[in-house]
C-alpha cells in the first residue's frame, strides 16, 4: 500500500477580522482621516458618474463607489515614498494615495478640504475629463492616472497589465534600499487588481518573479466577485483568490474590505513583512462595486445581480461603518458628519460647474466641457518619443574616422560594449533567460558580465511578459536603466501586452514627458534551423508601434555605436541582432567603446549611380556581394536605424535623386515584413524622381520551417537580391 503524506503550504494564509477591542484601541485621528478620505472619494465618484450621465465625460466611467474602504484602509498607513498602481477601476486608489501623500492622517471632518486638497481633486477630475489641466494633459483620462511625485505609478486599462510594472517599482525599492540603507526598512509597492486579473498570465508570472526575487510587492486583490457580469464562482474553482499565493511561496491575508480598520491592520502586517526584506505578499479584500462595470446603473439592472444582494452589501458600507464607530465612542457627532458630507459635495459640485456648461446644441438638459479647457490639438503627437537631446554630450563616430582597429568577433564586441557601459554607469541592469550562465547566454553576448557585476546580471524565469513588464516598471521608476534579452524575437508575442501596450505607449499616454529608458535585445535567427517559432525578423512589427526606436547593426563597429546610443536614450529601443553575424570576424576601434551612431544617420556602404539598394542587418553584406556579382553600379545604404522617427531621409533622398531606382532588401516573409512601409513612404516622398515603382526583395509568404531545404526556400539571400537587381534592369529596358 502506498504511503500518503498530506502536504501543507510553506507560508501562512490568514483571515483577518476586527473585534470591538480593535475599534476601541484605534487612534480616533486615524479613523477620522479614513472617514474624510472615503467621503472625498465617494463624492468625487458621484460627480464623475453625473458628468458621464450628462454626456460630459468622454469614454467609460468605471466607478469605485462601494470599494473605498479597501483603498483607504490599505493606503493610509503607507509612506509617501511607497508606490501604488491599479486598474481601469482605480480612481479610489489614485485619490487615496494622493490624499495620503498630501496630508497623511491630518484630516479634520469639520474642515475636510483645504486649498491643496481642492487643487488635487480638481486636477484629477480634469484628467478624467480629458482636459489640459490634468496630470497627463488629458491623455490618460479615467483609466490611466499617474502622479509619480505622490507614488501613483499609473493605473492601467489592460486587465493585469499594470501588475508587472509594479514589480519594477518594487525592484528599484529593494536595490536602492540595499545600496543606501535607512531606518524602517525598504519602501514597498502595492499593485491593485481584481478577480479577473487574478487568473491572467501576467499576474501569475509576476507573482512567481516577485516571490523568487524577494521583492517588496503587495498583490492587493480587490475581490468584488464580478468581472463585467461573470461571477467569480464561474471563473475559477477557488474563489478565495488569495489562495494563489501559496503556490508561489508568498504569505497571504484575507480581509473584509468593507471594514477599513481591518484592512489597515492587515496591511500593517503585510508591509512589515515586506519592509524587512522578506519578499512579496498577497492581500485579498472582499469588496463590492455598487454599480455596473461602467456607468451609473446597478448590476441588477442588467440581470446578473439581485437587488437583495446589492442591498445587503450597501448595509455594510465602509463610510457608514467608520462614522458609526466614531459617533458611538464620542469622537464625532452626527452633525459634524452631515456637515462634512455637505461641504465635500459642494466642492465637487463646484468642480463640475467649473469644467462644464449647458450644451447649447442639446434639446434636453445636457452638459458639455467648456471648449477653452481642451488640450491644443497640436499637442496630439508630442512625446511619442523624446527628442534625443540626451545624446548631445556623446561623441558621434563613423568607421572612416577610425585610425586604429582591434580584431574581434561580433558577439564579443556586443559583450564588450555592455561591459563598458555597466562599468561607467551603475544604473544599468541586465536580465533575461540564461544571460547569467552558459558563458554569456546562448550566444555569448553577455560573456563575463555576471562575474564582474554580480546581482546586476539576472537570469529570469521563462516569463517574457513578466520580466519585460518588470523592466518597464524599472524604466518608469527611473532609478535604474534595464536591458533585457528575448532569446528569440518571436517571443515578443508572448510579451506583446507589456512590449506594445505598456512600454511602447507609456511616455505618450502619461503626458509626453515620461522617460522610458529601456533596451530590448533580441536575435533574428533566420537560417539557423529553429523553425517557424524562432526565426522572425521583428523589425516590421516594432516599426508599427511608434513609441519604439529600432536599431539594426550590420557589423561590430555599428553595434557598439548603436548600442551606446540605445543605452543613453530616454526611449525604449529594440536592438536586433542577426544570428549570422555573431561569429563573424570583425573589428572595433582600438581602445574606444565610447562613441555613438545617433538616430537619423544611415550609412552609404557603396556609392553608385544606377540603383539605390536599401538593406539592414546581414542583408547589407549580401547586397554588396550581389552588386559585385551582377556588375551594376548600385549605391548600397545600410539603414542602421529602422523606426520612422529615426530614418535618414536625407541620405536616402539624395541617393534616389541620383539613381532614380530603388530596391529594398529584407530576408523574411512580407507579411510581418519591414520594407513595405518604407516602400510606401519612399513613393510618397520621392515619386517624381522614380523611373519605376519601388522594387523589393523578401522571402516567401511562409515562415521558415525546420527542413533545411524548405527553410532556404523561405528566405532571401544573395541569389534573390541578384534576381531583384535583374528585375530592376528589365523594367528599365522595357521603358527604353
Amino acid at each position: 500500500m502506498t504511503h500518503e503524506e498530506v502536504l501543507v503550504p510553506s507560508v501562512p494564509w490568514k483571515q483577518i477580522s476586527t473585534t470591538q477591542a480593535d475599534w476601541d484601541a484605534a487612534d480616533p485621528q486615524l479613523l477620522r482621516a479614513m472617514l474624510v478620505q472615503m467621503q472625498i472619494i465617494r463624492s468625487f465618484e458621484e460627480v464623475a458618474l453625473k458628468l458621464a450621465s450628462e454626456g460630459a465625460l468622454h469614454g467609460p466611467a468605471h466607478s469605485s463607489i462601494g470599494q473605498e474602504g479597501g483603498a483607504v484602509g490599505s493606503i493610509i498607513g503607507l509612506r509617501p515614498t511607497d508606490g501604488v498602481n491599479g486598474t481601469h477601476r482605480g480612481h479610489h486608489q489614485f485619490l487615496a494615495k494622493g490624499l495620503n501623500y498630501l496630508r497623511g492622517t491630518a484630516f479634520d471632518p469639520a474642515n475636510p478640504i483645504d486649498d491643496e486638497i481642492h487643487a488635487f481633486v480638481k486636477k484629477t477630475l480634469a484628467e478624467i475629463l480629458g482636459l489640459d489641466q490634468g496630470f497627463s494633459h488629458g491623455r490618460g483620462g479615467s483609466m490611466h492616472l499617474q502622479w509619480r511625485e505622490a507614488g501613483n505609478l499609473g493605473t492601467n486599462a489592460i486587465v493585469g497589465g499594470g501588475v508587472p510594472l509594479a514589480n519594477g517599482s518594487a525592484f528599484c525599492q529593494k536595490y536602492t534600499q540595499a545600496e543606501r540603507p535607512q531606518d524602517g526598512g525598504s519602501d514597498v509597492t502595492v499593485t491593485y487588481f481584481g478577480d479577473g486579473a487574478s487568473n491572467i498570465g501576467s499576474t501569475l508570472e509576476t507573482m512567481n518573479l516577485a516571490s523568487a526575487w524577494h521583492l517588496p510587492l503587495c498583490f492587493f486583490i480587490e475581490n468584488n466577485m464580478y468581472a463585467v457580469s461573470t461571477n467569480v464562482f464561474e471563473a475559477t474553482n477557488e474563489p478565495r483568490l488569495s489562495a494563489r499565493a501559496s503556490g508561489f511561496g508568498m504569505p497571504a491575508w484575507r480581509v473584509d474590505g468593507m471594514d477599513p480598520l481591518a484592512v489597515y491592520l492587515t496591511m500593517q502586517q503585510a508591509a512589515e513583512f515586506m519592509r524587512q526584506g522578506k519578499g512579496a505578499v498577497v492581500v485579498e479584500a472582499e469588496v463590492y462595486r455598487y454599480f455596473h462595470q461602467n456607468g451609473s446603473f446597478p448590476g441588477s439592472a442588467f440581470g446578473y445581480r439581485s437587488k437583495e444582494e446589492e442591498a445587503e452589501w450597501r448595509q455594510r458600507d465602509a463610510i457608514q461603518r467608520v462614522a458609526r464607530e466614531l459617533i458611538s465612542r464620542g469622537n464625532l457627532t452626527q452633525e459634524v458628519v452631515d456637515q462634512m458630507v455637505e461641504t465635500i459635495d459642494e466642492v465637487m459640485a463646484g468642480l463640475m460647474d467649473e469644467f462644464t456648461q449647458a450644451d447649447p446644441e442639446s434639446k434636453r438638459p445636457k452638459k458639455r466641457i467648456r471648449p477653452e479647457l481642451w488640450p491644443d490639438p497640436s499637442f496630439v503627437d508630442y512625446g511619442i518619443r523624446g527628442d534625443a537631446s540626451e545624446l548631445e554630450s556623446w561623441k558621434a563616430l563613423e568607421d572612416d574616422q577610425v585610425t586604429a582597429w582591434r580584431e574581434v568577433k561580433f558577439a564579443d564586441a556586443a559583450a564588450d560594449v555592455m561591459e563598458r557601459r555597466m562599468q561607467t554607469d551603475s544604473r544599468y541592469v541586465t536580465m533575461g533567460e540564461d544571460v547569467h550562465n552558459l558563458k554569456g547566454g546562448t550566444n555569448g553576448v553577455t560573456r563575463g558580465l555576471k562575474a564582474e557585476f554580480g546581482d546586476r546580471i539576472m537570469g529570469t524565469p521563462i516569463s517574457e511578459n513578466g520580466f519585460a513588464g518588470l523592466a518597464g516598471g524599472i524604466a518608469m521608476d527611473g532609478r535604474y536603466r534595464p536591458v533585457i534579452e528575448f532569446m528569440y524575437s518571436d517571443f515578443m508575442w508572448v510579451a506583446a501586452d507589456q512590449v506594445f501596450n505598456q512600454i511602447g505607449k507609456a511616455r505618450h499616454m502619461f503626458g509626453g514627458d515620461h522617460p522610458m529608458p529601456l533596451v530590448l535585445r533580441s536575435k533574428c535567427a533566420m537560417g539557423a534551423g529553429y523553425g517557424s517559432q524562432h526565426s522572425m525578423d521583428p523589425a516590421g512589427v516594432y516599426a508599427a508601434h511608434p513609441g519604439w526606436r529600432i536599431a539594426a547593426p550590420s557589423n561590430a563597429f555599428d553595434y557598439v555605436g548603436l548600442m551606446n546610443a540605445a543605452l543613453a536614450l530616454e526611449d525604449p529601443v529594440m536592438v536586433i541582432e542577426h544570428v549570422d553575424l555573431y561569429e563573424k570576424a570583425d573589428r572595433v576601434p582600438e581602445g574606444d567603446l565610447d562613441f555613438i551612431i545617433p538616430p537619423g544617420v544611415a550609412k552609404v556602404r557603396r556609392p553608385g549611380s544606377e540603383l539605390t539598394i536599401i538593406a539592414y542587418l546581414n542583408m547589407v553584406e549580401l547586397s554588396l556581394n550581389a552588386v559585385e556579382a551582377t556588375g551594376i553600379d548600385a549605391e548600397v545604404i545600410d539603414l542602421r536605424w529602422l523606426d520612422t522617427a529615426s530614418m535618414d531621409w536625407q541620405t536616402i533622398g539624395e541617393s534616389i535623386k541620383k539613381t532614380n531606382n530603388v530596391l529594398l532588401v529584407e530576408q523574411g516573409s512580407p507579411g510581418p515584413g519591414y520594407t513595405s512601409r518604407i516602400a510606401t513612404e519612399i513613393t510618397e516622398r520621392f515619386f517624381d524622381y522614380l523611373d519605376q515603382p519601388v522594387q523589393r526583395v523578401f522571402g516567401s509568404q511562409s515562415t521558415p520551417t525546420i527542413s533545411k531545404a524548405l527553410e532556404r526556400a523561405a528566405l532571401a539571400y544573395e541569389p534573390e537580391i541578384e534576381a531583384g537587381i535583374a528585375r530592376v534592369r528589365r523594367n528599365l529596358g522595357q521603358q527604353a
Side-chain angles (χ1 to χ4, degrees):
M1 186 174 179
T2 58
H3 172 71
E4 295 183 0
E5 180 181 353
V6 176
L7 299 177
V8 296
S10 60
V11 287
W13 181 22
K14 303 176 183 177
Q15 177 85 37
I16 300 292
S17 303
T18 55
T19 65
Q20 283 304 115
D22 293 313
W23 286 95
D24 291 341
D27 181 357
Q29 183 54 44
L30 170 69
L31 299 181
R32 284 192 289 266
M34 284 182 175
L35 180 64
V36 175
Q37 291 190 25
M38 288 190 294
Q39 186 58 52
I40 289 173
I41 295 168
R42 175 72 57 86
S43 298
F44 180 96
E45 290 285 66
E46 288 171 346
V47 164
L49 285 179
K50 183 172 177 58
L51 288 167
S53 67
E54 295 187 1
L57 196 160
H58 185 62
H62 298 112
S63 166
S64 64
I65 292 176
Q67 300 185 189
E68 301 91 345
V72 171
S74 60
I75 289 172
I76 200 166
L78 296 182
R79 300 171 181 169
T81 48
D82 292 332
V84 307
N85 76 355
T87 68
H88 58 283
R89 192 182 315 284
H91 300 170
H92 52 326
Q93 297 135 11
F94 182 85
L95 289 166
K97 188 62 168 75
L99 294 170
N100 189 51
Y101 171 74
L102 293 171
R103 291 291 176 271
T105 59
F107 282 89
D108 180 3
N111 184 26
I113 296 185
D114 59 20
D115 289 344
E116 197 169 19
I117 299 299
H118 181 273
F120 166 55
V121 295
K122 177 179 177 179
K123 196 167 187 176
T124 304
L125 186 58
E127 182 60 38
I128 290 170
L129 293 173
L131 307 184
D132 189 54
Q133 298 176 50
F135 284 96
S136 300
H137 302 284
R139 281 191 182 156
S142 172
M143 297 186 288
H144 314 103
L145 293 166
Q146 184 189 69
W147 184 21
R148 296 171 69 193
E149 176 190 321
N152 268 314
L153 309 177
T155 56
N156 205 286
I158 302 295
V159 174
V163 178
L165 299 172
N167 209 21
S169 171
F171 175 96
C172 294
Q173 289 166 332
K174 174 179 177 176
Y175 284 91
T176 301
Q177 168 68 15
E179 294 170 3
R180 297 184 291 276
Q182 63 186 31
D183 293 338
S186 170
D187 289 334
V188 303
T189 297
V190 185
T191 182
Y192 292 87
F193 55 93
D195 47 287
S198 299
N199 301 315
I200 208 165
S202 58
T203 300
L204 301 175
E205 286 184 27
T206 304
M207 284 182 172
N208 180 66
L209 188 51
S211 182
W213 288 7
H214 304 289
L215 301 180
L217 180 61
C218 174
F219 298 87
F220 195 99
I221 306 171
E222 289 185 308
N223 186 356
N224 64 20
M225 301 196 305
Y226 293 92
V228 176
S229 63
T230 301
N231 192 287
V232 68
F233 295 95
E234 301 173 78
T236 177
N237 199 39
E238 176 47 276
R240 300 172 301 171
L241 302 177
S242 48
R244 276 64 171 160
S246 299
F248 298 108
M250 292 182 288
W253 290 260
R254 209 162 177 261
V255 63
D256 178 6
M258 309 303 277
D259 180 347
L261 179 60
V263 177
Y264 169 80
L265 295 173
T266 297
M267 280 298 294
Q268 292 296 100
Q269 294 184 25
E272 179 64 18
F273 182 92
M274 292 184 286
R275 296 195 198 284
Q276 290 178 358
K278 296 180 180 179
V281 302
V282 171
V283 173
E284 176 191 5
E286 296 176 284
V287 294
Y288 200 78
R289 56 173 166 85
Y290 290 172
F291 295 95
H292 180 53
Q293 162 78 355
N294 172 29
S296 57
F297 290 98
S300 57
F302 299 89
Y304 63 88
R305 299 195 309 205
S306 69
K307 293 181 179 180
E308 291 75 19
E309 177 185 303
E310 291 170 344
E312 289 174 4
W313 280 91
R314 280 183 176 270
Q315 289 174 4
R316 298 170 55 192
D317 187 82
I319 298 175
Q320 295 177 17
R321 173 76 184 274
V322 174
R324 284 198 306 270
E325 296 290 352
L326 283 166
I327 293 169
S328 69
R329 285 165 177 75
N331 302 130
L332 205 60
T333 66
Q334 185 63 54
E335 290 74 18
V336 171
V337 172
D338 293 342
Q339 184 59 50
M340 175 195 73
V341 174
E342 182 178 344
T343 299
I344 295 172
D345 283 347
E346 286 178 355
V347 169
M348 300 305 167
L351 293 180
M352 184 167 62
D353 292 339
E354 190 172 344
F355 289 141
T356 64
Q357 60 186 203
D359 187 348
E361 299 177 1
S362 177
K363 294 181 180 179
R364 59 185 180 84
K366 188 178 179 182
K367 296 284 189 181
R368 74 170 187 181
I369 298 296
R370 296 181 183 275
E372 68 273 14
L373 300 180
W374 292 117
D376 189 321
S378 64
F379 184 66
V380 63
D381 287 336
Y382 172 78
I384 292 174
R385 64 195 70 80
D387 60 6
S389 59
E390 57 268 31
L391 300 181
E392 292 174 357
S393 62
W394 282 79
K395 172 185 66 178
L397 189 68
E398 291 293 348
D399 53 7
D400 54 12
Q401 299 172 295
V402 178
T403 57
W405 294 91
R406 172 169 63 93
E407 301 300 316
V408 66
K409 286 195 306 184
F410 183 100
D412 289 338
D416 289 345
V417 69
M418 196 66 238
E419 178 186 31
R420 174 62 178 159
R421 296 282 67 80
M422 293 187 75
Q423 287 172 340
T424 57
D425 193 333
S426 62
R427 295 176 298 167
Y428 289 114
V429 292
T430 297
M431 61 188 70
E433 294 154 10
D434 298 305
V435 297
H436 61 316
N437 287 329
L438 306 176
K439 298 181 179 180
T442 54
N443 292 100
V445 181
T446 52
R447 168 193 47 78
L449 299 184
K450 179 66 176 178
E452 185 171 357
F453 300 108
D455 288 345
R456 290 169 61 198
I457 307 295
M458 288 159 283
T460 65
I462 299 175
S463 56
E464 279 81 7
N465 204 48
F467 72 74
L470 178 138
I474 293 172
M476 291 173 75
D477 180 275
R479 282 176 279 188
Y480 295 92
R481 300 176 74 93
V483 181
I484 56 176
E485 176 184 313
F486 283 2
M487 194 179 291
Y488 292 89
S489 294
D490 309 63
F491 298 175
M492 70 177 175
W493 297 120
V494 181
D497 174 45
Q498 293 302 315
V499 169
F500 301 123
N501 270 328
Q502 310 299 339
I503 296 168
K505 294 178 180 178
R507 181 170 195 150
H508 181 263
M509 184 172 69
F510 289 124
D513 296 312
H514 190 303
M516 282 296 292
L518 180 149
V519 172
L520 168 57
R521 296 179 36 252
S522 192
K523 66 170 172 270
C524 171
M526 290 182 180
Y530 273 77
S532 295
Q533 296 175 337
H534 287 67
S535 304
M536 185 177 188
D537 175 356
V541 178
Y542 279 85
H545 295 80
W548 281 89
R549 295 184 186 268
I550 310 166
S554 65
N555 59 74
F557 173 86
D558 279 13
Y559 188 98
V560 173
L562 292 171
M563 178 56 82
N564 279 332
L567 291 167
L569 283 164
E570 299 289 353
D571 300 314
V573 184
M574 170 68 172
V575 178
I576 309 173
E577 303 164 4
H578 199 289
V579 69
D580 284 359
L581 302 176
Y582 280 137
E583 297 302 313
K584 182 185 174 190
D586 213 325
R587 61 183 189 170
V588 296
E590 179 67 50
D592 184 8
L593 295 176
D594 297 331
F595 62 91
I596 63 167
I597 297 171
V601 182
K603 180 72 172 180
V604 176
R605 298 296 178 192
R606 182 194 188 280
S609 61
E610 292 183 64
L611 171 65
T612 298
I613 297 178
I614 299 175
Y616 61 97
L617 291 175
N618 62 323
M619 301 306 278
V620 173
E621 182 176 3
L622 295 179
S623 296
L624 291 168
N625 294 342
V627 168
E628 295 305 311
T630 58
I632 192 170
D633 185 23
E635 185 151 292
V636 178
I637 297 177
D638 183 348
L639 286 175
R640 306 201 287 198
W641 290 94
L642 306 185
D643 57 282
T644 301
S646 305
M647 292 288 288
D648 184 353
W649 289 114
Q650 180 175 346
T651 296
I652 293 170
E654 289 173 356
S655 181
I656 292 172
K657 291 173 184 178
K658 178 172 55 174
T659 68
N660 308 120
N661 298 283
V662 180
L663 181 66
L664 302 176
V665 177
E666 64 182 315
Q667 189 168 32
S669 168
Y674 173 72
T675 57
S676 60
R677 66 177 57 249
I678 304 303
T680 299
E681 190 152 1
I682 286 174
T683 302
E684 292 172 349
R685 286 173 177 263
F686 306 110
F687 179 81
D688 290 343
Y689 298 94
L690 295 172
D691 286 345
Q692 61 180 296
V694 175
Q695 300 297 312
R696 297 168 59 207
V697 171
F698 46 77
S700 75
Q701 293 286 339
S702 66
T703 56
T705 52
I706 295 295
S707 166
K708 189 172 185 178
L710 293 177
E711 180 184 53
R712 173 60 189 87
L715 300 176
Y717 285 95
E718 187 176 325
E720 285 73 22
I721 303 174
E722 293 177 12
I725 292 172
R727 186 168 66 250
V728 170
R729 282 176 157 168
R730 283 196 305 272
N731 291 342
L732 289 174
Q734 291 170 1
Q735 292 176 19

